[in-house]
Amino acid sequence: MTELVTFFFVALSAVFFVVDPIGVVPIFLAITSNDAPDKIRQMARRACVTGYFILMTFAIFGGVIFKIFGISLGAFRVAGGLLLMLTALDMLRAKRAGTRTSPEETEESARKEDVALVPLAMPLLAGPGSIASVMVLMSQGNTRSLLFAVPVLLAVTITFVAAYYILRAASLVQRVLGQSGVAILERVMGLILAAIAVQFVADGARDLLRTP
């Protein structure tokens, strides 16, 4: 039971920090600056629902992808860890992660009527890093017991419920935290995410070395 609870907190930390809804707040405010409050809430809801189903799909069917492409769990752990490390390094420098969206994409999004699906749901909330994270976590859990899939699915659910309320109150979050507060939180989350990324790589390397 203790191992299950520990795994849940690892999964929640990894998923929440890589989805990083707090870091999405400034971008969300920028691309919805000309929209009415009702439309902003609607876009936040649609983005979170879409992002949630994207991650849940990859979490549940990620094993099938491994089999189709003949990818070993060890190789994917290393790849996922390296991708998370890139995101973590950007967070430590309070810099927008290049693996999620580029400045040009953000500028283009500000001119769109509806940004809920692109870029909010994908790639800001459900980007390559978060997809890799849930697939690795699910694979790690399934090597122990199917019961370990529950903490990962619960972590994804909690993350997107929190993301919805954070984005819905984006203006308040920005006012309360300020630019400095957001940057400090980004760095703290980046440090924890970097440690999780190193663990992913270490576990993957160990698996690959054991493979005959």
Side-chain angles (χ1 to χ4, degrees), residues 17-63:
F17 292 160
V18 75
V19 171
D20 189 17
I22 294 174
V24 174
V25 164
I27 304 173
F28 181 71
L29 289 174
I31 61 182
T32 60
S33 58
N34 298 320
D35 295 318
D38 286 345
K39 185 176 180 181
I40 291 173
R41 286 193 294 270
Q42 184 185 48
M43 282 195 287
R45 182 173 63 252
R46 289 179 60 211
C48 290
V49 169
T50 304
Y52 173 73
F53 279 108
I54 289 172
L55 284 200
M56 290 294 275
T57 299
F58 278 98
I60 295 169
F61 299 107

Side-chain angles (χ1 to χ4, degrees), residues 2 81-82 105 110 113 121 132 142 144-145 159 193:
T2 304
L82 293 175
E105 288 172 320
E113 284 296 318
N142 289 337
R144 305 177 194 180
S145 163
T159 294
L193 191 61

Side-chain angles (χ1 to χ4, degrees), residues 46-128:
R46 289 179 60 211
C48 290
V49 169
T50 304
Y52 173 73
F53 279 108
I54 289 172
L55 284 200
M56 290 294 275
T57 299
F58 278 98
I60 295 169
F61 299 107
V64 177
I65 296 173
F66 288 158
K67 290 178 182 177
I68 290 174
F69 291 100
I71 302 170
S72 68
L73 175 57
F76 201 84
R77 279 178 177 172
V78 172
L82 293 175
L83 185 56
L84 284 190
M85 183 58 74
L86 291 175
T87 302
L89 291 174
D90 284 335
M91 291 172 73
L92 285 169
R93 292 178 292 174
K95 179 182 175 184
R96 189 178 302 164
T99 56
R100 296 171 72 172
T101 186
S102 66
E104 292 78 11
E105 288 172 320
T106 303
E107 184 180 345
E108 181 184 349
S109 300
R111 298 192 295 268
K112 286 183 178 180
E113 284 296 318
D114 189 349
V115 295
L117 301 183
V118 180
L120 280 178
M122 178 76 179
L124 286 174
L125 295 174

Side-chain angles (χ1 to χ4, degrees), residues 134-189:
V134 296
M135 289 175 67
V136 171
L137 288 165
M138 284 291 284
S139 299
Q140 283 182 325
N142 289 337
T143 57
R144 305 177 194 180
S145 163
L146 283 176
L147 189 61
F148 279 82
V150 176
V152 182
L153 301 179
L154 188 58
V156 174
T157 302
I158 292 172
T159 294
F160 276 93
V161 170
Y164 168 66
Y165 285 105
I166 288 170
L167 292 183
R168 180 173 172 169
S171 298
L172 178 61
V173 172
Q174 182 82 327
R175 283 199 303 271
V176 171
L177 294 178
Q179 196 62 40
S180 299
V182 171
I184 290 169
L185 276 177
E186 285 276 290
R187 288 186 172 97
V188 172
M189 291 190 294

